[in-house]
Amino acid sequence: MHTGFSGVVQDDFPRPRGWAPAERLDVLDVSSLPGVGPTMAKRLRAFGIETVRDLLFHAPRRYERAVDEVPISKLGLVEGEVAVEGRVVSARARTLRGRRTLVTAVVRDDSGGQVTASFFNQPWLAERLVPGTQLRLRGKLGRYGFDVKSYDLGEARRTADHAPVYPASEQIPSTRLRELVRAALAAHGRSLPDPLPAELELPLHRDALTALHFPADEGEAEEARRRLALDELVALQLAVGRLRTTDAVAPSLAGPGELAGRYRDVLPFTLTDHQERALMEIDLDLAQTTPMQRLLQGDVGSGKTVVALYALLRAVENGRQGALMAPTETLAEQHFLTLEPLCAQLGVRCVLLTGAVRSKVVREELRTGVAQIAVGTHALIQQDVQFADLAVAVVDEQHRFGVEQRRALAENRSPHVLHMTATPIPRTLALTIYGDLSVSEIAQPPANRKPIITSRVGAERTADAYTRLRVHLDAGRQAYVVCPLIEQSETRLARAAEEEAERLRRGELKSYRVGLLHGRLKTADRREVMRQFAAHELDVLVATTVIEVGVDVPNATIMIVQEADRFGLAQLHQLRGRVGRGSEQSYCLLVSRPAEELTETADLRLQALVDTTDGFELAEVDLDLRREGALLGTRQSGWSDLRFTRLRLDRDLIERARDLANELRDEDGPWQGEADRLLADDADHRGLA
Ligand code: ADP
Ligand code: MG
């Protein structure tokens, strides 16, 4: 399938005298590139671009479509964006008010037409626009003449049409980014090693990188993307393979017995077919002596916890213990509040163990086996915690745990493990990402659910949102108000939330019972607030994102998210999942500044939430909008480590990467270095390196 990229013309990239060794691109700061001063370096850093490699791998979000090329003399006759071609007659730079710079160039073409082209905030261009220079410009007539959006200098004739639009383009002009990429490729492009063996006859990795940023057309851009996607998928598969533990033995558990039966009886609902199938799959796994490694995936609110408790009880009825590990204290406590009463009804002893709650008594009960089920945070896997006989471990939202923590849970013991996630990952990708994991999927929520209705509310109409909220409260329902995300510290966030709760108690929510939940509350207080809200002793819970996962109060039917544009898409989806958990119609109101004042991506994020409640679709949108995050580790942001892979389009690549990784696993080559890098990044992002 070898095809070259037509756009890769050697002459475009003057060869550097010395090439940096490949590994240096990882540590080579972007400020080593010409024209990157402290200010630009800082702006780049905001997009996670610190090294030359980061820059080269900053994938465009999309490409500009081609526009008509017109003679300059006809410019006045056409509307909208067009391209013109000509030569520089003269150029000059000046500074506008507010430190903005403007470079203007008089450009003339063969038709004899002449126009003044204006380039904003690209002062370095002035010296390159020497008279006679051939130019192709894309833009439109504006206040300062022809307002240039993108351009080709010299003979190149392509980039202005298919100019990449980067995630960072919102803060840094695409043209500027492309200048930097061009410089980086010129200086270091040839020293990039190919991470896959030459025998495969793939397009060259570095050609793909070039075509990614300077494609001749969309087809070429897509081909480049797929080549880079294959590289990253192989690296990921190799990294995952190294983490896999092999010859462990787990206790084989006898089939479901009396306790499992009673559990079904105490549940206030019947299980869905999807849940039933998951139980069956789990039962089969538990009968084996190979430890279960199963991923239970289902969207927010689809009913995974019920399945998790079943798995834990299966350990208990075999005279052993179960443990559920959650990524945060709030979530652990919330799980405990859900599971403990059910366990109590069944005569099963369930305890909570977190960083804050780690009494000697509880640890003693775990050691002796008096406690049959433990719910907790990673405190559960600390050295000083011993289980009498742990047979089943459930890890909730496992992607939030790092590789190291997951490894610690399995260390010196080999329980059956059920990983739960609300992060929608296609089965094939999950297999790639998590290696030999089997997958159970709850593809549909319980039938009584109605999709949450989401709407956007302009900040100036906030009062209307509270009016709607009060209608729900008056009808005996409950509500959430999510406070704006403040980037500074947890403490300031807590203080802001306190002030907001106070303000609402005096204002919009005067005659209602308003509780407050944030990350700085003492554990006992936080549990009390959650208990009160669950018991309907509170009408409204004002909260920070600590309610993002796990909080489960079916009577809560409406949520207001303040300054919703500040949140990430995955986060908003999780937050929204706190409502719509019962049979009542639920609503989510996203308050933000008007669309025109938002960045393009913020606007698209909010609109995506209005348009769909399908977590799978949102995952795709999120990936499109911001290709970063964490599958291997805990990077905050979202759904994937993969920059180039498109979940829906690249199933074939995912399969291919699996095969390739199997072939390359024991062979030495640059691909091993890529896997090293992924694992190091993962540790890095959790401060383990
Ligand atoms: P998840 O953990 O997947 O987000 P939960 O297990 O917390 O979802 O379930 C969400 C809500 O749905 C809970 O209130 C739970 O009691 C309820 N629920 C779970 N399974 C069913 C079912 N089969 N029928 C009706 N309600 C259910
Ligand atoms: Mg849950």
Side-chain angles (χ1 to χ4, degrees):
M1 67 170 267
H2 182 112
T3 45
F5 293 101
S6 61
V8 183
V9 182
Q10 299 299 346
D11 297 345
D12 281 3
F13 306 108
R15 308 239 169 91
R17 261 181 286 272
W19 300 326
E23 57 275 19
R24 274 191 43 214
L25 297 189
D26 281 8
V27 288
L28 198 60
D29 205 277
V30 273
S31 50
S32 67
L33 295 172
V36 180
T39 314
M40 177 56 79
K42 193 168 155 217
R43 281 156 85 195
L44 288 167
R45 211 173 309 126
F47 285 89
I49 302 171
E50 294 184 17
T51 64
V52 170
R53 185 176 199 278
D54 294 337
L55 177 71
L56 290 176
F57 284 78
H58 186 63
R61 195 162 67 220
R62 62 181 172 84
Y63 296 87
E64 298 286 6
R65 285 185 198 296
V67 292
D68 290 340
E69 192 170 305
V70 299
I72 292 178
S73 54
K74 299 265 165 62
L75 252 186
L77 305 176
V78 289
E79 298 257 319
E81 264 184 50
V82 291
V84 297
E85 217 181 326
R87 288 184 186 278
V88 176
V89 177
S90 64
R92 71 185 188 111
R94 63 190 154 118
T95 306
L96 301 178
R97 228 178 306 154
R99 291 178 54 220
R100 301 213 306 155
T101 58
L102 175 63
V103 172
T104 51
V106 176
V107 178
R108 182 181 299 155
D109 70 4
D110 298 338
S111 73
Q114 186 166 300
V115 70
T116 303
S118 47
F119 304 81
F120 288 96
N121 297 321
Q122 300 163 74
W124 62 90
L125 263 180
E127 64 188 42
R128 297 189 53 184
L129 297 174
V130 285
T133 306
Q134 174 81 25
L135 265 183
R136 187 163 188 271
L137 305 173
R138 174 179 170 142
K140 60 182 173 192
L141 280 181
R143 245 180 86 194
Y144 296 89
F146 190 76
D147 190 351
V148 178
K149 285 217 159 144
S150 57
Y151 56 83
D152 287 312
L153 275 176
E155 292 302 318
R157 295 200 38 136
R158 55 186 186 279
T159 55
D161 284 339
H162 304 286
V165 179
Y166 298 95
S169 299
E170 270 162 18
Q171 312 297 325
I172 307 166
S174 284
T175 43
R176 179 73 176 116
L177 280 166
R178 242 179 338 141
E179 279 291 311
L180 293 179
V181 170
R182 190 188 289 276
L185 280 170
H188 309 294
R190 309 208 118 247
S191 68
L192 280 165
D194 212 289
L196 292 176
E199 302 91 87
L200 294 174
E201 302 203 329
L202 297 163
L204 291 181
H205 177 77
R206 66 153 189 272
D207 288 352
L209 263 183
T210 307
L212 181 79
H213 298 288
F214 302 94
D217 54 48
E218 300 241 346
E220 199 173 278
E222 175 62 5
E223 200 190 336
R225 182 194 69 73
R226 279 175 57 86
R227 165 66 220 254
L228 297 168
L230 186 65
D231 292 340
E232 68 182 359
L233 284 167
V234 170
L236 189 59
Q237 179 66 69
L238 286 171
V240 164
R242 293 205 209 148
L243 294 172
R244 207 169 293 157
T245 46
T246 43
D247 44 5
V249 175
S252 157
L253 302 184
E258 182 265 343
L259 182 60
R262 276 197 291 135
Y263 175 52
R264 286 168 181 279
D265 294 341
V266 302
L267 285 177
F269 42 75
T270 45
L271 297 172
T272 65
D273 291 348
H274 291 268
Q275 286 168 322
E276 287 289 358
R277 194 176 44 217
L279 298 195
M280 208 181 66
E281 287 165 343
I282 288 168
D283 282 336
L284 287 175
D285 286 353
L286 295 180
Q288 312 297 315
T289 53
T290 313
M292 170 167 76
Q293 283 293 335
R294 181 167 289 280
L295 179 69
L296 176 62
Q297 64 174 53
D299 210 341
V300 186
S302 60
K304 296 182 293 296
T305 316
V306 184
V307 175
L309 180 53
Y310 176 86
L312 297 172
L313 291 171
R314 293 295 325 284
V316 173
E317 69 179 1
N318 278 271
R320 298 166 189 269
Q321 291 165 301
L324 187 155
M325 183 163 91
T328 68
E329 215 146 277
T330 311
L331 185 49
E333 283 155 15
Q334 185 57 35
H335 274 307
F336 182 71
L337 288 176
T338 313
L339 302 194
E340 203 278 331
L342 281 165
C343 287
Q345 277 187 69
L346 297 167
V348 169
R349 172 89 180 134
C350 178
V351 297
L352 177 69
L353 187 93
T354 64
V357 189
R358 38 187 303 107
S359 79
K360 270 223 174 67
V361 183
V362 166
R363 274 180 285 158
E364 195 53 22
E365 285 193 10
L366 284 174
R367 199 184 57 76
T368 56
V370 171
Q372 294 160 296
I373 292 181
V375 177
T377 55
H378 54 270
L380 282 174
I381 52 173
Q382 238 79 128
Q383 292 288 319
D384 59 342
V385 178
Q386 285 172 27
F387 287 85
D389 190 357
L390 181 66
V392 175
V394 176
V395 184
D396 193 14
E397 293 301 338
Q398 50 74 48
H399 65 285
R400 294 192 165 208
F401 289 101
V403 177
E404 289 302 325
Q405 284 167 322
R406 277 187 267 154
R407 188 146 51 190
L409 181 70
E411 206 160 40
N412 303 327
R413 22 179 127 91
S414 46
H416 294 286
V417 184
L418 182 69
H419 309 260
M420 287 203 286
T421 182
T423 301
I425 307 165
R427 181 180 293 255
T428 45
L429 185 60
L431 288 172
T432 301
I433 309 303
Y434 300 112
D436 281 342
L437 233 52
S438 344
V439 181
S440 292
E441 194 173 357
I442 304 183
Q444 267 167 22
N448 59 358
R449 297 287 164 71
K450 298 189 184 70
I452 301 161
I453 297 176
T454 303
S455 35
R456 295 172 66 167
V457 179
E460 75 289 351
R461 289 181 36 234
T462 307
D464 298 353
Y466 283 98
T467 306
R468 286 178 64 185
L469 185 121
R470 286 192 299 265
V471 172
H472 283 251
L473 300 183
D474 293 340
R477 306 279 157 230
Q478 289 161 279
Y480 298 102
V481 175
V482 180
C483 297
L485 196 65
I486 303 176
E487 271 168 27
Q488 285 119 356
S489 70
E490 188 83 16
T491 308
R492 299 193 57 162
L493 191 59
R495 199 170 315 132
E498 269 161 21
E499 280 165 18
E500 181 59 12
E502 235 359 271
R503 195 188 66 76
L504 290 170
R505 281 183 190 123
R506 283 195 308 269
E508 283 95 332
L509 302 175
K510 200 164 180 181
S511 46
Y512 300 92
R513 300 165 299 177
V514 177
L516 172 66
L517 195 70
H518 60 65
R520 278 283 174 267
L521 284 184
K522 288 208 190 69
T523 305
D525 296 343
R526 188 161 49 180
R527 284 169 78 177
E528 178 56 15
V529 171
M530 278 317 305
R531 190 201 58 75
Q532 288 176 350
F533 191 64
H536 202 168
E537 291 165 21
L538 293 171
D539 300 304
V540 182
L541 198 56
V542 175
T544 60
T545 50
V546 294
I547 62 158
E548 192 181 328
V549 271
V551 175
D552 183 23
V553 178
N555 191 46
T557 52
I558 186 164
M559 165 178 286
I560 291 180
V561 183
Q562 300 177 333
E563 299 186 32
D565 52 294
R566 292 177 175 235
F567 295 88
L569 188 48
Q571 207 167 23
L572 286 169
H573 180 58
Q574 292 281 347
L575 282 170
R576 177 169 65 175
R578 298 313 108 206
V579 295
R581 299 176 83 82
S583 54
E584 291 296 318
Q585 177 63 58
S586 289
Y587 299 85
C588 176
L589 309 180
L590 304 172
V591 178
S592 76
R593 288 169 290 154
E596 330 53 281
E597 287 178 31
L598 300 176
T599 60
E600 185 190 349
T601 48
D603 185 44
L604 290 171
R605 277 202 304 274
L606 296 183
Q607 199 50 44
L609 281 153
V610 171
D611 293 343
T612 182
T613 53
D614 179 355
F616 200 94
E617 239 171 80
L618 291 171
E620 291 274 306
V621 174
D622 195 49
L623 270 173
D624 283 350
L625 293 181
R626 180 174 33 69
R627 329 201 117 258
E628 60 173 81
L631 278 174
L632 272 174
T634 58
R635 247 154 292 170
Q636 287 287 307
S637 37
W639 269 294
S640 173
D641 254 337
L642 301 168
R643 286 163 182 268
F644 302 107
T645 306
R646 303 248 152 139
L647 303 186
R648 285 189 203 228
L649 289 176
D650 295 340
R651 306 258 166 138
D652 60 324
L653 286 183
I654 291 166
E655 304 288 339
R656 180 143 191 232
R658 262 171 88 78
D659 294 343
L660 278 176
N662 282 333
E663 284 167 32
L664 298 175
R665 178 147 295 131
D666 301 320
E667 285 185 50
D668 208 19
W671 45 91
Q672 300 292 2
E674 295 297 305
D676 293 342
R677 182 206 322 282
L678 264 184
L679 291 171
D681 271 4
D682 185 50
D684 223 23
H685 280 85
R686 279 167 299 105
L688 294 173

